[in-house]
Every structure is written in C-alpha cells, then in structure tokens.
Amino acid sequence: MSGSPIWHPFTQHGLEVRIPTIVRTEGAALYTADGRRVIDAISSWWVTTHGHSHPGIMAAIRETAETLDQIIFAGWTHPPAEAVAEGLRALMPPELTRIFFSDSGSTAVEVALKMALGYWLHRGEPRDRIVVMEHSYHGDTIGAMSVGARGVFNRAYAPLLFDVATIPFPAADSEQQTLDALERHCRRGAAAFIVEPLVLGAGGMLMYPASVLAEMRRICAAHGVLFIADEVMTAWGRTGTLLACAQAGVVPDILCLSKGLTGGAVPLAVTMAAEPIYAAHYADDRARMFFHSSSYTANPIACAAAAANLAIWREEPVLDRVAALSGMQGRHLASIAEMSGVSNPRQSGTIVALDLETPNTGYLSELGPRLQTQFVERDILLRPLGNTLYVMPPYCIGSDDLDRIFDAIGEAIRVTR
Ligand SMILES: *Cc1c(COP(=O)(O)O)cnc(C)c1O
C-alpha cells in the first residue's frame, strides 16, 4: 500500500484522484499545503454559512474546551446545551417546543422518523407508512436512505431499506399531481411526510415554489399526518430566510437541523418537535421514553459553537448579507443563463444552479468529475451533481471571488458544448 490509508467518502480511489491537503481555512477560502488559495464555492458541502473559521465561533470552541469535554447527556445537562436550546427557542417557530440533540443530518432524520412512529404507537393508533418526495435526499444511514431516492448510490443496500410511499416531484406543469398523490397517501393513514422545503439538494438542486410547500403542509394537517421538514441544507439563511418553511408561512411538526447549526465549524444536529409529539412520549411508564441516544449527544464543545452561531444570528444582520449575496448570485446567473448549452437556470436565495445540456446525464455522468478537476486547477472548489452545476458560497464571499467562480463556469460551459 502506498500513500495514505484513508478511504474517502464518495470517492472512487480506483480512478486517478488527487487529494489536496488543506492546512488552513478562513472566510471563503481553503489554503492548501502547497500554498494555494482555493475558493470554497460550495461551502464545504453546504455546511459553512457565515464563513470558515469565524472568530466568534472559534473562540467559543477554545473557551469551552478549557473547562468541558464530553459528558453523558442521558439525565445530565450542561450550560452550552441549555444555551443552544434557549437560543433555538428564541429564533425558531414557537410551536416547536422540544429540542433533541444528535450529531449529523442523517441522525436528525433518523430521530425524526423514530419520533413520528413513537407518536402514533403511544397514541394507541400505530402507523408506519412514511411518505416521501421523488428525488429527495435525507442522508446516508439506513433509515435516511430508505426515505431518500433510490439509485446507484444505494443499490447495494436496497434489501435493507424499508418501503415508503413516493409522491412525484412538483414540476412546473404537474404540481397538482404531487398534491393529489400526497392527499391519497394521507387519506390512507400515513404516519408522516418528510420533505426538503423549497430545494431538493443532493437530488440536483431541484426547486419548487413556496405555494406547493404551503399546500403540502395544509394537506398533511387536514389528515393529521405529521409533517417533517428536513431543513438540514435549506436552513440558516440558505434560501433567503432563516428557514425555507418561512417563505411558505408554514411550521412543521418536526424540524431537522444540522449543517449550519454550528456555522459549519463542528458536527451537531437537532430535531425539534411540536408539543404533542413530546406529550405522546411523556408518561410515568419507562417503556414510553424516547429510545434514542448516541455517545456524543450534545457534545459541549459542539454546543458552544452552536450557541456562538445563534448569537451571531441574534446580533448581526445575517439576512442582509444573505440578501446581498443572493442579489450578486442572481446577476451572475442571469448573465450565463442565456449561453447556449445551459438549461433550467434557477435560484433560491444564496443557491444558484443550472443544467448543462449533455447526452450523458445522471450522477455518474463523466462530465461532473471532469469539470471538477478543471475548477480545482483554477483554485475553485465546485462539485457538480451529474450535469447540474451549482454555486452555494459562504455568506462572506467577496465579489472578486464570485467573479472568478462565474468566469470559470462560463468557460466550462463554452468548452462543454
Ligand atoms: C446533507 C443532508 C443530510 C444529511 O446530513 P449529514 O450531516 O451529511 O448526515 C440530510 N438531509 C439533507 C436535506 C441534507 O442536505
């Protein structure tokens, strides 16, 4: 064996892959061991919100590490976790009264699904059918894969995945079909509907209008079916508002948050639940407690980072920065949308995406990796999803860096045609 023994995620080591070493991060940039400055145009896979190594978040991590490391969270608590809970209660919709900690977006989704089934069982009317949207992504653990799209990335594990009811993606000409399918499954007594609000991320940055989200929420409520919003990617200003759900004026029964919860510095997740879901588990019977924990639940250092992130949201004009970035993104998108070879240009807040017309689409399209290599050669981190190019930078990115990203994209469109 030569080189590093590390087996990287979503990486085919049998193809020639160069793995750059990053030694420092700051703002919108990653610095390599050999002295290059790489623009992080995808917020390090959608986690970095304000910018890398935000001084307030890094200071909170340092300070907390002086006094606290991991402690058991079953029946014990600590100030950073309480600060996060208090901060979330102040910032998030008041209907979401309960906060359950975990470590990643995938576990936040697993927790949401378990809460939903526990809710129905403890009410004495067990239900287990989960309704999902076509092209969705909810994580890579078995339960999260089960409620996500099936494809090459989970074909080997298909025998382990549970059955779900799938409604079509609400494309512009078929929104009613989506709503009708949801209504049908709700009428049959589904336990819950889980959905990514406004933007389906890993499914290809597919976007649908807030009016459809509002209508889906209404249908679930009318049938008492729990509405789970997976805002792991869309929250924290990504789509222009703190939560994407806000644009539809809806509040879910269960909300999954992770990626930007710590500003993207360290892993942490929460699943927030409306009171009836907590109430269904609340009893003097131990058999009804919520049976979920991971060893590092509510890690104090991660919680300190999240509390610092919440303070930034309270004290700084984050949504003004998001609006300014969205404006710049929109102008860049408009200027390349007209290029031939580009289809379906779209935007939701700080996210812009477009599809490259190519005969070979899909996740395994050769185009993506080839373009990715070209971008890295220009010191830009972009990672196309199949033939979909998207830009989702940290909110602190400067106009010079954005110009460079879109110059590189324009160039890529020209050479691809
Ligand atoms: C990234 C993502 C997840 C999974 O989060 P991890 O932290 O990678 O486990 C779940 N849902 C959505 C919508 C995501 O974008």
Side-chain angles (χ1 to χ4, degrees), residues 46 104-106 137-139 196 230 232-233 258-259:
W46 323 343
S104 71
S106 302
Y137 177 80
H138 297 292
E196 298 164 82
D230 176 355
V232 169
M233 184 196 78
S258 184
K259 292 188 171 119

